[in-house]
Amino acid sequence: MRCEPNTSGLKQETAPDVVRKRSVRSKLAALAATSLAALAVACNGGSSSINPPPPPAANERFFVGNFSGNISGFSAASGKLEPIPGSSITFSPSFLTHFAVKPDGTLLAAITVDQQLVARTLQIVNIGTGGTLTLTRLTSRLGNLGGMAISSQGVIAITDVANGTVQLTLVQNNLFFQGASAATGPLPQDVVFSSDGSRLYVGNNAGGTISVFAVSAQGATLQPVQTALLPVAAEFAPTVVRVTLSASGRKFAATTPDGRLFVGNVSPMDGTLSGFTETQLGTNANLEEVVFDPTAQNVYTTDQDNGGIFGFTLSTGGGVTPLPGSPFSTGTLPGGPTGMAFNSAGDRLYAVIQGQVVFTYSRNTSSGQLALTGDVVSSGGFLAGGIVRVPAH
């Protein structure tokens, strides 16, 4: 177990987010008070744990981003996250708001905001063969962004919340090339590419829609394919904050900050969405992060405000059934995970807990159930956010 708190460079301020259920700023005082105790709580038995055998070794890496401006890389061949020497970078004196990694693990894009929380900048980081991170000189100023993603071809998609658009940018020969842009639905929040980069999915925070686009290999064209309307069981449309695809690209999921999870099917022919099932977990559940296991047998989402990881079994007919024991404990720390990622074997889930720690869960690949292992590691900074898995190269 690693229990090494990082106490440097803590900031009690953050960037405003137009679609948060409640502002991050209101949480920072509590987070500042608890983040330094987080590792101690976890290491002193904050919740029950098990010690499963390590998974088969896999040549993969995990990157964790922190609002304090840090991105750190980890290996996990033993099942435990272990910091990679030289795989850490700090955008000083800026704060980190978003980051994404190219699926082949060679390129990282980050969006930072200055200390006045005004100017947003796209920055590019090269990932070396050993996982080392090197900041390039490429930068580009941005508007009021909502989300970002990188395709397998290296096309970067960034949504503009204020203008209701998505813009494509390509990095080639250490230069930025602006690609196509297109109108989305109102308040485009999160975005994800299909594994082959040919389709782009944008979750719109207002109106409860998903905009689907066909993308050319180099991002030169962005053709609307579908505006998928999520089913509405309540009297108001869902406010989408997160979207994701399964590894096979056949399943799609979206979450809302008022406790709704949507799971649908993706057409293998044209990438359109259909057959959505809505699951309501309560209006007080601030659902944000959502992930499929590698086989899409299960889907998991988390209550960022109150803690707990909710797990569901997906049936071939489109049913979504809660797993026994769900929601799974996130310990005694305040709040819940802000990021989650599976290893490629699907038997470990790494959950970034608000503050500066990453918990490891063992997953039963037959039943889908989760259990804390007791392995905890510092995220490398303060106000940890997302975690991404990519293959090593």
Side-chain angles (χ1 to χ4, degrees):
M1 179 189 300
R2 292 182 57 87
C3 298
E4 303 173 4
N6 183 337
T7 60
S8 64
L10 305 189
K11 302 290 182 181
Q12 294 192 43
E13 54 188 347
T14 187
D17 186 339
V18 298
V19 296
R20 296 290 185 190
K21 183 177 176 182
R22 54 185 191 179
S23 69
V24 178
R25 195 181 290 273
S26 68
K27 302 178 184 179
L28 288 181
L31 285 172
T34 59
S35 63
L36 297 181
L39 287 172
V41 171
C43 294
N44 288 322
S47 60
S48 61
S49 63
I50 62 173
N51 292 296
N59 197 20
E60 56 195 12
R61 301 188 181 111
F62 295 82
F63 291 94
V64 180
N66 301 274
F67 180 74
S68 54
N70 318 90
I71 294 178
S72 296
F74 300 85
S75 62
S78 67
K80 300 180 181 181
L81 290 183
E82 297 287 348
I84 300 172
S87 189
S88 180
I89 197 165
T90 299
F91 303 94
S92 180
S94 301
F95 302 128
L96 176 72
T97 62
H98 297 73
F99 80 103
V101 184
K102 189 180 176 184
D104 65 1
T106 61
L107 185 75
L108 186 150
I111 296 175
T112 60
V113 63
D114 63 10
Q115 291 188 316
Q116 288 69 46
L117 307 180
V118 176
R120 291 173 171 81
T121 303
L122 171 64
Q123 303 199 52
I124 301 299
V125 177
N126 289 325
I127 304 174
T129 54
T132 56
L133 301 181
T134 305
L135 183 64
T136 74
R137 295 181 179 274
L138 285 177
T139 60
S140 178
R141 288 298 179 94
L142 301 171
N144 191 5
L145 64 99
M148 70 180 301
I150 306 179
S151 75
S152 52
Q153 288 78 26
V155 178
I156 303 170
I158 299 175
T159 60
D160 187 319
V161 176
N163 295 314
T165 60
V166 59
Q167 173 70 57
L168 302 183
T169 300
L170 189 68
V171 178
Q172 284 187 335
N173 300 322
N174 211 31
L175 294 171
F176 279 131
F177 293 91
Q178 192 171 69
S181 64
T184 64
L187 301 182
Q189 178 65 7
D190 200 14
V191 59
V192 62
F193 280 101
S194 61
S195 60
D196 64 0
S198 67
R199 293 293 183 270
L200 180 68
Y201 300 85
V202 179
N204 301 304
N205 187 259
T209 61
I210 309 296
S211 301
V212 184
F213 298 92
V215 186
S216 65
Q218 300 302 311
T221 61
L222 196 58
Q223 183 67 36
V225 172
Q226 180 192 25
T227 300
L229 180 64
L230 297 176
V232 180
E235 66 276 9
F236 52 89
T239 53
V240 179
V241 289
R242 293 286 180 89
V243 295
T244 192
L245 287 165
S246 64
S248 68
R250 299 295 298 274
K251 287 289 185 180
F252 178 94
T255 54
T256 75
D258 61 351
R260 287 189 270 181
L261 167 68
F262 296 88
V263 179
N265 300 316
V266 183
S267 168
M269 301 299 294
D270 58 10
T272 55
L273 304 175
S274 64
F276 277 102
T277 298
E278 177 186 5
T279 302
Q280 296 192 33
L281 301 178
T283 57
N284 291 324
N286 181 8
L287 304 182
E288 294 206 13
E289 183 69 297
V290 57
V291 293
F292 292 98
D293 77 278
T295 64
Q297 169 186 317
N298 305 112
V299 64
Y300 301 84
T301 186
T302 177
D303 185 343
Q304 185 170 297
D305 287 349
N306 306 300
I309 298 175
F310 296 84
F312 301 88
T313 297
L314 304 178
S315 69
T316 55
V320 179
T321 305
L323 289 170
S326 174
F328 302 101
S329 173
T330 49
T332 59
L333 300 180
T338 54
M340 297 189 294
F342 278 102
N343 64 354
S344 58
D347 58 4
R348 293 292 190 280
L349 175 68
Y350 302 103
V352 180
I353 305 295
Q354 290 189 43
Q356 58 184 56
V357 295
V358 186
F359 284 1
T360 298
Y361 287 81
S362 173
R363 174 176 174 268
N364 184 311
T365 55
S366 297
S367 69
Q369 291 181 297
L370 302 177
L372 281 166
T373 66
D375 295 326
V376 185
V377 66
S378 168
S379 67
F382 177 65
L383 271 184
I387 179 170
V388 176
R389 171 178 59 87
V390 292
H393 68 281

